[in-house]
């Protein structure tokens, strides 16, 4: 398997981890703990795993001049990105949040035009359009559940901040990922994020009644930490080493598909023709965005 195909598989795996995660976290919050408490536990445990892993690899340490850039990236990727998403989702509707999140690839293109001077070809533009329409159709098909949406405009804005932060991170992190081993980079990214986040959310962690949490919920939390966070970040970083940020971001389209399939398997949703067609559109969009131009394919063969 080529490095590119392996990277595509890695990024698709992250979509699977996160697609399942959407359903599983419903079992944890808000019944067992608040969203911010779960976020802190997730980041804290993942930081510990990254540090433990770093002791088993040989790589160059983070240079002093790069501590500040990584710290700033952690504010975008860990603090603003994660906290704004969970807070926004608590204020708006799930459908609004899902639709806004699939704007990430478009935002990546916008940032790429200014930061990376990337050119937009018609094939990838068509892929973005088809994938966006498929994801929109998928997330809006069927009846909307009744939710406690107390401030939809503010919630939508915060979810959009999350999508923008993730898009910007995919581009800005490219140089650091190329320079350092993924474990070295991510352990410091999470460490800084944990330090910045703790003062704002730790009081909610102290409110968790651990003795009241069922054993199956602990296993669910373990999945969120190990697969939806630890492996998710590592696989995503590997994808960024081999692929363009625009290609990596396009796989966010597959998350609604995977989330729906997993929900069907546990009886939390119903299958419809609209969802099947929407899913096909999502995968077609990802294919068009991730496929290389003919010129690039010729260079690979030479």
């Amino acid at each position: 398997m080529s490095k590119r195909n392996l990277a595509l598989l890695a990024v698709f795996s992250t979509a699977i981890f996160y697609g399942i995660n959407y359903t599983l976290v419903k079992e944890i919050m808000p019944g067992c703990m608040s969203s911010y408490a779960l976020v802190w536990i997730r980041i804290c445990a993942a930081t510990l795993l990254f540090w433990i892993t770093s002791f088993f690899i040989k790589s160059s340490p983070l240079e002093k001049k790069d501590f500040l850039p990584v710290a700033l990236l952690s504010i975008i990727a860990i603090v603003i990105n994660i906290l704004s998403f969970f807070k926004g989702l608590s204020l708006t509707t799930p459908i609004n949040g899902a639709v806004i999140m699939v704007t990430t690839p478009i935002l990546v293109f916008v940032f790429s035009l200014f930061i990376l001077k990337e050119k937009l070809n018609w094939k990838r533009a068509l892929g973005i359009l088809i994938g966006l329409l498929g994801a929109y159709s998928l997330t809006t098909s069927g009846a909307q559940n009744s939710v406690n949406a107390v401030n939809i405009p503010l919630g939508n804005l915060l979810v959009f901040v999350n999508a923008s932060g993730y898009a910007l991170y995919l581009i800005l992190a490219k140089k650091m990922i190329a320079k350092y081993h993924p474990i070295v980079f991510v352990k410091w990214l999470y460490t800084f994020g944990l330090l910045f986040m703790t003062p704002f959310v730790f009081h909610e962690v102290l409110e968790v009644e651990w003795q009241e949490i069922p054993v199956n919920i602990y296993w669910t939390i373990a999945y969120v930490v190990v697969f939806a966070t630890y492996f998710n970040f590592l696989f995503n970083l590997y994808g960024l080493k081999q692929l363009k940020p625009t290609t990596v971001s396009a796989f966010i389209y597959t998350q609604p598909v995977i989330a729906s399939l997993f929900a069907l398997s546990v009886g939390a949703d119903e299958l419809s023709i609209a969802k099947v067609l929407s899913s096909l559109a999502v995968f077609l969009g990802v294919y068009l965005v991730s496929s290389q131009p003919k010129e690039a394919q010729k260079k690979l063969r030479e």
Side-chain angles (χ1 to χ4, degrees):
M1 184 180 292
S2 67
K3 289 185 177 180
R4 175 178 172 80
N5 288 337
L6 189 60
L8 290 172
L9 179 61
V11 176
F12 181 64
S13 297
T14 67
I16 294 176
F17 296 154
Y18 239 97
I20 295 174
N21 188 59
Y22 280 117
T23 300
L24 293 184
V25 295
K26 295 286 187 180
E27 300 178 9
I28 305 173
M29 58 182 197
C32 297
M33 63 183 67
S34 69
S35 59
Y36 282 178
L38 177 60
V39 168
W40 188 90
I41 293 167
R42 172 187 176 188
I43 301 304
C44 182
T47 301
L48 180 61
L49 288 176
F50 288 130
W51 273 93
I52 293 174
T53 306
S54 69
F55 294 128
F56 295 93
I57 63 170
K58 294 181 179 180
S59 61
S60 302
L62 192 69
E63 297 178 9
K64 291 183 178 180
K65 66 178 182 179
D66 289 330
F67 273 96
L68 180 58
V70 173
L72 294 176
L73 277 174
S74 75
I75 295 176
I76 297 174
I78 306 299
V79 181
I80 295 177
N81 189 33
I82 296 178
L83 293 183
S84 63
F85 174 74
F86 279 94
K87 184 62 177 178
L89 201 58
S90 70
L91 298 174
T92 188
T93 66
I95 288 179
N96 284 351
V99 171
I100 293 170
M101 277 305 299
V102 296
T103 63
T104 299
I106 296 175
L107 294 169
V108 169
F109 265 120
V110 172
F111 288 129
S112 296
L113 292 173
F114 292 99
I115 299 175
L116 302 180
K117 308 299 180 183
E118 185 173 334
K119 294 182 180 180
L120 177 63
N121 62 53
W122 70 267
K123 191 174 184 180
R124 289 185 171 177
L126 181 62
I128 290 291
L129 179 61
I130 293 175
L132 181 62
L133 291 175
Y136 179 83
S137 176
L138 182 65
T139 54
T140 57
S141 62
Q144 181 175 338
N145 293 329
S146 177
V147 296
N148 183 22
V150 297
N151 194 334
I152 291 178
L154 178 59
N156 289 346
L157 177 61
L158 289 173
V159 175
F160 184 77
V161 168
N162 166 252
S164 301
Y166 180 64
L168 185 59
Y169 160 76
L170 288 177
I171 295 173
L172 296 181
K174 188 73 174 178
K175 290 183 179 179
M176 289 295 175
I177 294 169
K179 184 176 182 180
Y180 295 106
H181 190 285
I183 291 293
V184 173
F185 170 71
V186 76
K187 78 173 183 180
W188 284 109
L189 186 77
Y190 266 67
T191 298
F192 283 121
L194 181 64
L195 292 175
F196 294 145
M197 180 189 299
T198 297
F200 300 99
V201 303
F202 192 68
H203 66 281
E204 296 193 16
V205 179
L206 296 177
E207 296 174 358
V208 177
E209 297 181 358
W210 298 100
Q211 68 279 4
E212 301 296 330
I213 297 179
V215 175
N216 67 300
I217 296 300
Y218 280 105
W219 283 109
T220 304
I221 294 173
Y223 173 88
V224 172
V225 171
V226 176
F227 289 95
T229 307
Y230 178 73
F231 285 125
N232 177 69
F233 231 89
L234 288 183
F235 288 5
N236 220 25
L237 287 174
Y238 179 78
L240 281 173
K241 271 186 171 292
Q242 308 296 331
L243 308 169
K244 288 185 177 182
T246 47
T247 302
V248 174
S249 68
F251 278 82
I252 197 172
Y253 288 144
T254 66
Q255 289 185 20
V257 178
I258 295 165
S260 296
L261 292 175
F262 184 75
L264 287 170
S265 69
V266 297
D269 206 342
E270 296 179 356
L271 189 63
S272 66
I273 296 178
K275 289 181 179 180
V276 173
L277 294 177
S278 298
S279 299
L280 292 175
V282 167
F283 283 108
L284 177 60
V286 171
Y287 170 76
L288 291 174
V289 172
S290 61
S291 61
Q292 292 181 308
K294 291 183 178 180
E295 294 78 6
Q297 293 178 5
K298 288 180 180 179
K299 289 182 180 180
L300 289 175
R301 296 193 191 103
E302 295 176 353

